[in-house]
Amino acid sequence: MNAKYGTILIVDDNPAILTALKICLGKVFEKILTLTEPENILITLRQEHVDVILLDMNFSNGVNSGQDGLIWLSSIKRRHPDIPVVLITAYADVKLAVRGLKNGAADFVTKPWDNDELIRMLKDAIDMSKEIVPLHEMEREHIKKVVDKCHGNMSKAADLLGITRQTLYRKYQSW
């Protein structure tokens, strides 16, 4: 059985779309939160841990510019920059997609969507948001913590790290 991908928040003013997305994503996510009103996004993000947001672009009746989605995207990114946001709209527009991506969206999908493609996009957005730190950076951070703990005493730090003082100096010089 594949591991599930945590919690998704889906924001769309169409209840039928929310139902379809819940069915589509039910086997992928442990928890699916839905909102029909974007005004509740920030409250929800304060109350729940969310791994990814699927955000509709249009919420105003008769307006299909995507401006609503861009405003909410900006608001989310200001307060929660680490949560990936995938934009979704029925009104596909290359310029709108580019604006969304420039404003911090992880990806852009159009309605009607392809289930497999949508799932891949959401998984990719989550995976990309989880930074993988290279081993040499982890080593550098660990060595700095040990040296700080030893108040700069390199001999003591080298002993704690299990390396020679010369090796510790070489590592320091290479940074």
Side-chain angles (χ1 to χ4, degrees):
M1 170 126 177
N2 292 338
K4 290 203 175 186
Y5 267 75
T7 301
I8 183 171
L9 172 60
I10 307 169
V11 188
D12 197 301
D13 56 345
N14 184 333
I17 294 288
L18 294 176
T19 300
L21 286 166
K22 281 172 109 172
I23 293 166
C24 169
L25 302 173
K27 290 185 173 136
V28 178
F29 289 92
E30 291 171 24
K31 189 173 188 182
I32 299 175
L33 305 171
T34 59
L35 294 174
T36 55
E37 297 178 13
E39 292 78 13
N40 296 324
I41 293 172
L42 298 177
I43 294 165
T44 301
L45 292 177
R46 279 195 297 271
Q47 297 170 345
E48 300 273 355
H49 170 79
V50 172
D51 296 289
V52 66
I53 299 169
L54 184 59
L55 177 65
D56 190 22
M57 296 292 295
N58 298 298
F59 294 96
S60 301
N61 283 337
V63 179
N64 300 320
S65 67
Q67 197 59 40
D68 292 340
L70 293 175
I71 291 168
W72 286 109
L73 171 64
S74 176
S75 184
I76 293 165
K77 287 312 215 176
R78 243 189 334 273
R79 289 169 186 82
H80 303 275
D82 296 336
I83 300 175
V85 179
V86 174
L87 301 174
I88 186 167
T89 184
Y91 303 95
D93 178 339
V94 173
K95 288 181 184 174
L96 181 59
V98 169
R99 282 181 59 205
L101 295 171
K102 283 184 177 180
N103 287 324
D107 216 328
F108 188 91
V109 64
T110 57
K111 300 173 189 173
W113 61 87
D114 173 272
N115 288 347
D116 293 334
E117 182 67 13
L118 175 63
I119 290 167
R120 185 200 56 76
M121 278 184 188
L122 292 168
K123 285 180 173 182
D124 285 352
I126 292 170
D127 291 344
M128 296 296 285
S129 72
K130 294 179 178 162
E131 184 181 343
I132 297 171
V133 180
L135 187 57
H136 71 277
E137 286 182 29
M138 288 178 63
E139 179 187 48
R140 177 176 32 211
E141 288 304 312
H142 181 67
I143 289 172
K144 284 181 179 180
K145 284 179 187 175
V146 171
V147 170
D148 288 346
K149 184 177 181 177
C150 295
H151 305 289
N153 183 329
M154 299 300 262
S155 295
K156 188 175 179 183
D159 286 344
L160 281 174
L161 290 166
I163 58 177
T164 66
R165 191 171 158 187
Q166 292 79 11
T167 300
L168 180 56
Y169 276 119
R170 260 198 319 277
K171 288 186 179 292
Y172 249 80
Q173 289 172 345
S174 68
W175 300 331

